[in-house]
């Protein structure tokens, strides 16, 4: 679709506002979405609508977000519990990740989800600054009803929606008692974006089988109110140039030197994940245990560093996961640590600063990116870019059930459910000749540089621009 000559301002809608309160005041939050949208928001002018995190003092602007206006949405405790902790984290998240855990269905959570989406819509329709013509871009599974709630004000410009998680097959999605409502909510958009063709096709097949009054033709859905909605594949990426340049800064080099001394004489396997059951950490640890069990010689030669960023620890499944992971780490170290030698598994239950994360990326001989299901997985992209920038030759072991596997074809692909196979893949990865490792890495880093996060933003915007 050809862009119109007039560049419309952009209003982003996401669960959270892109700011955090630091000791010395408010600043922009770290995170892929802020990085992705900031240039377009700054260039076109724009605003961000998001939950205020429970504090009423969020400023309307923060210095490092330039002219971007912040529009906080307030949610009372009960609505937040039902909407976020309940429907988002305990219903949609497991359902959209192929039922790795069982989703819970609860009508009060659903009511709270509807109410929270209404509050976002209300925030947009009552603020005079947001009443001008804009591109409205709604993000993720938290706000699936919002596009249709924004639709009545159609003079305000086109609506885009992007789903950051997978979209499940219709056979799974239709188990949700509110599957119709969610599809109709998303179909309030003009453009619906997904990471992969599979997720896009699952969405289209769901529209076809679940909605009686919608007609699917190719990648378009014709709605009963006479509109045509485009479903498109636009895989998210990272700011590759910035990651590459940050990876060789003096603070990273210093940290890397320290880590190389610490792990001298050992090959390093690396896992970096939010502590989430979708990320396959339990299966990964079992595979590492099996590897040590059947290769006693590797016990002094290989270490696993697992960074597990605390996440959703108010949900039982996440607390259980933490205790399983910590039990498994304890068991492996108890079984395989040799007196006078370092432990085989270094487990960090925390978020590390970016320069340290980059040093770990550069240190690793093999990155274990083995989710059971993952919309994209940015760690995989960050790893190959950081390694290539530091002239490394690390191997990426990548689950075939990630969106990233559709792009990073030179990774060693694995099925993380197959623990024995995964152990064999790790053993084999440690033996890959250097030239082959370098060739694989440079092809993958090249593909991330060729399609970075700004391409993603521009493609979504240029698809939706002029669609009204
Ligand atoms: C959702 C979808 C999709 C991790 N540990 C540390 C740290 N991180 C940063 C990484 C990366 C980000 O967190 C994680 O992004 P992922 O894509 O891997 O995973 P989700 O959080 O599940 O994100 C996912 C994504 O949305 C985007 O659409 O790819 O599929 O689930 O950027 O670098 N950052 C720092 N310290 C850490 O310890 N500084």
């Amino acid at each position: 679709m050809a862009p119109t000559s007039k560049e419309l301002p952009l209003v982003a809608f996401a669960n959270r506002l892109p700011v955090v309160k630091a000791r010395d005041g408010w600043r922009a939050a770290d995170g892929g979405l802020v990085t992705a949208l900031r240039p377009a928001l700054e260039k076109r002018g724009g605003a961000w609508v998001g939950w205020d995190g429970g504090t009423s003092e969020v400023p309307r602007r923060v210095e490092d977000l330039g002219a971007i206006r912040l529009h906080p949405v307030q949610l009372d405790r009960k609505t937040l519990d039902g909407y976020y902790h309940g429907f988002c984290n305990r219903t949609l998240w497991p359902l959209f990740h192929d039922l790795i855990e069982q989703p819970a269905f609860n009508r009060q959570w659903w009511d709270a989800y509807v109410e929270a989406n209404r509050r976002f819509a209300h925030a947009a329709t009552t603020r005079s600054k947001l009443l001008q013509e804009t591109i409205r871009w709604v993000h993720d599974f938290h706000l699936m009803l919002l596009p249709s709630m924004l639709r009545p004000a159609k003079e305000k410009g086109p609506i885009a929606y992007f789903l950051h998680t997978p979209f499940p097959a219709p056979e799974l999605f239709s188990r949700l008692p509110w599957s119709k409502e969610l599809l109709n909510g998303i179909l309030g958009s003009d453009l619906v974006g997904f990471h992969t063709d599979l997720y896009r096709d699952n969405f289209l097949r769901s529209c076809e089988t679940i909605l009686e009054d919608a007609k699917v033709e190719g990648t378009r859905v014709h709605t009963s109110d006479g509109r045509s909605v485009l479903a498109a594949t636009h895989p998210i990426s990272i700011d590759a140039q910035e990651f590459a340049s940050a990876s060789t800064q003096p603070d990273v080099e210093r940290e890397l030197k320290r880590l190389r001394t610490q792990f001298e004489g050992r090959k390093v396997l690396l896992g970096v994940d939010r502590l989430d059951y979708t990320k396959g950490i339990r299966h990964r640890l079992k595979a590492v245990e099996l590897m040590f069990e059947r290769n006693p010689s590797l016990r002094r030669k290989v270490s696993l560093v697992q960074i597990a960023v605390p996440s959703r620890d108010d949900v039982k499944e996440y607390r259980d996961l933490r205790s399983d992971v910590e039990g498994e780490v304890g068991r492996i170290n108890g079984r395989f640590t040799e007196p006078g030698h370092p432990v085989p598994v270094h487990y960090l239950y925390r978020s590390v600063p970016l320069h340290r994360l980059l040093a770990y990326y550069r240190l690793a001989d093999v990155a274990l990116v083995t989710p059971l299901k993952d919309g994209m997985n940015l760690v995989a992209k960050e790893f190959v870019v950081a390694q290539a920038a530091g002239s490394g030759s690390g191997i990426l072991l990548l689950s075939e059930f990630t969106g990233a596997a559709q792009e990073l074809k030179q990774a060693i692909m694995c099925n993380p459910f197959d623990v024995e196979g995964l152990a064999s893949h790790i053993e084999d990865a440690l033996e890959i000749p250097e030239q082959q490792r370098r060739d694989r890495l440079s092809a993958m880093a090249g593909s991330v540089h060729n399609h970075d996060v700004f391409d993603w933003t521009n493609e979504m915007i240029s698809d939706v621009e002029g669609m009204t």
Side-chain angles (χ1 to χ4, degrees):
M1 180 86 36
T4 55
S5 51
K6 184 174 140 209
E7 284 205 330
L8 296 176
L10 181 65
V11 180
F13 296 81
N15 177 48
R16 291 297 295 263
L17 283 172
V19 287
V20 286
K21 194 172 184 182
R23 237 177 264 144
D24 50 349
W26 290 87
R27 62 167 178 82
D30 302 323
L33 197 54
V34 189
T35 309
L37 299 182
R38 184 177 3 207
L41 283 164
E42 279 175 351
K43 184 165 145 239
R44 295 163 169 266
W48 190 304
V49 181
W51 175 51
D52 64 8
T55 155
S56 53
E57 7 150 330
V58 182
R60 291 296 178 270
R61 283 172 202 234
V62 298
E63 207 181 318
D64 49 355
L65 286 176
I68 301 168
R69 296 185 306 277
L70 302 175
H71 292 280
V73 175
Q74 270 123 34
L75 298 174
D76 57 86
R77 188 78 241 167
K78 193 163 165 248
T79 306
L80 180 72
D81 275 349
Y83 148 73
Y84 182 69
H85 303 295
F87 200 72
C88 288
N89 289 345
R90 301 194 54 204
T91 308
L92 292 179
W93 184 262
L95 182 71
F96 281 25
H97 289 86
D98 289 358
L99 314 183
I100 294 163
E101 290 285 344
Q102 276 308 305
F105 298 145
N106 173 319
R107 278 177 166 66
Q108 282 168 359
W109 295 351
W110 164 251
D111 292 342
Y113 184 81
V114 176
E115 176 57 23
N117 275 249
R118 252 189 222 132
R119 304 248 182 114
F120 275 76
H122 185 72
T125 46
T126 53
R127 296 212 167 90
S128 61
K129 283 273 164 57
L130 294 177
L131 287 174
Q132 58 187 322
E133 193 187 3
T134 56
I135 294 173
R136 289 161 290 167
W137 187 355
V138 179
H139 288 269
D140 226 356
F141 62 101
H142 311 92
L143 301 174
M144 294 169 87
L145 298 174
L146 185 57
S148 65
M149 293 176 176
L150 296 174
R151 167 72 29 205
K154 53 177 174 297
E155 72 283 1
K156 283 201 269 165
I159 301 173
Y161 174 81
F162 190 84
L163 183 67
H164 291 261
T165 66
F167 196 95
E171 299 75 26
L172 298 184
F173 186 62
S174 58
R175 293 185 190 181
L176 185 73
W178 308 280
S179 56
K180 254 187 208 155
E181 286 86 340
L182 290 185
L183 291 176
N184 282 324
I186 295 175
L187 288 173
S189 326
D190 298 288
L191 168 71
V192 187
F194 301 92
H195 290 304
T196 70
D197 290 349
L198 174 68
Y199 311 155
R200 181 201 61 195
D201 294 347
N202 282 343
F203 170 75
L204 289 165
R205 286 202 298 132
S206 296
C207 290
E208 201 161 33
T209 53
I210 297 171
L211 300 177
E212 294 110 35
D213 48 3
K215 191 163 173 284
V216 176
E217 219 171 35
T219 55
R220 286 190 170 268
V221 184
H222 302 285
T223 62
S224 55
D225 60 352
R227 290 180 312 106
S228 162
V229 180
L230 177 66
T233 303
H234 287 303
I236 200 167
S237 190
I238 59 168
D239 183 350
Q241 220 177 335
E242 175 58 28
F243 260 93
S245 133
S247 298
T248 54
Q249 294 303 306
D251 54 348
V252 176
E253 299 289 356
R254 267 195 303 277
E255 189 65 32
L256 180 61
K257 199 165 158 216
R258 194 185 65 72
L259 289 172
R260 282 197 172 132
T261 309
Q262 185 188 343
F263 289 95
E264 202 173 356
R266 288 185 167 244
K267 295 221 167 154
V268 174
L269 313 175
L270 176 69
V272 176
D273 314 82
R274 267 188 314 101
L275 191 58
D276 194 298
Y277 52 76
T278 60
K279 302 290 182 182
I281 305 172
R282 281 185 276 228
H283 294 67
R284 186 184 307 160
L285 287 169
K286 290 252 184 284
V288 168
E289 181 173 16
L290 185 58
M291 177 194 76
F292 284 130
E293 192 177 292
R294 58 193 194 192
N295 299 278
S297 68
L298 293 183
R299 295 173 194 172
R300 286 187 188 181
K301 290 190 198 144
V302 175
S303 291
L304 167 69
V305 176
Q306 175 63 56
I307 298 174
V309 180
S311 181
R312 305 177 192 171
D313 51 11
D314 43 0
V315 175
K316 181 180 176 296
E317 285 78 7
Y318 288 75
R319 287 195 302 273
D320 291 348
L321 171 66
R322 181 179 174 194
S323 82
D324 287 359
V325 164
E326 294 183 355
E328 181 67 24
V329 168
R331 193 171 58 247
I332 299 175
N333 284 340
R335 281 185 75 185
F336 301 121
T337 304
E338 300 199 356
H341 291 273
V343 292
V345 181
H346 296 245
Y347 170 71
L348 286 79
Y349 176 65
R350 75 196 76 129
S351 170
V352 301
L354 184 64
H355 75 279
R356 191 162 298 155
L357 178 68
L358 295 174
Y360 277 118
Y361 283 158
R362 287 194 48 200
L363 174 77
D365 295 282
V366 185
L368 304 180
V369 180
T370 61
L372 305 178
K373 189 81 185 174
D374 210 337
M376 172 53 71
N377 193 289
L378 295 177
V379 168
K381 293 189 171 182
E382 293 166 5
F383 171 73
V384 295
V385 165
Q387 277 275 328
S391 305
S393 59
I395 278 286
L396 174 63
L397 191 59
L398 182 61
S399 158
E400 60 187 278
F401 305 117
T402 60
Q406 297 305 310
E407 295 175 76
L408 304 178
K409 299 281 189 197
Q410 296 78 11
I412 305 292
M413 295 298 172
C414 65
N415 169 2
F417 292 93
D418 171 16
V419 169
E420 285 178 45
L422 189 52
S424 303
H425 278 306
I426 302 173
E427 291 158 7
D428 295 347
L430 291 165
E431 299 299 325
I432 296 176
E434 170 153 8
Q435 193 52 50
Q436 194 196 126
R437 296 200 305 263
R438 288 194 184 282
D439 293 346
R440 287 174 181 267
L441 191 65
S442 92
M444 290 188 283
S447 79
V448 180
H449 279 277
N450 278 337
H451 185 266
D452 70 10
V453 73
F454 307 116
D455 296 319
W456 172 75
T457 312
N458 291 338
E459 285 162 13
M460 277 293 291
I461 290 178
S462 80
D463 260 10
V464 79
E465 209 157 29
M467 282 181 103
T468 43

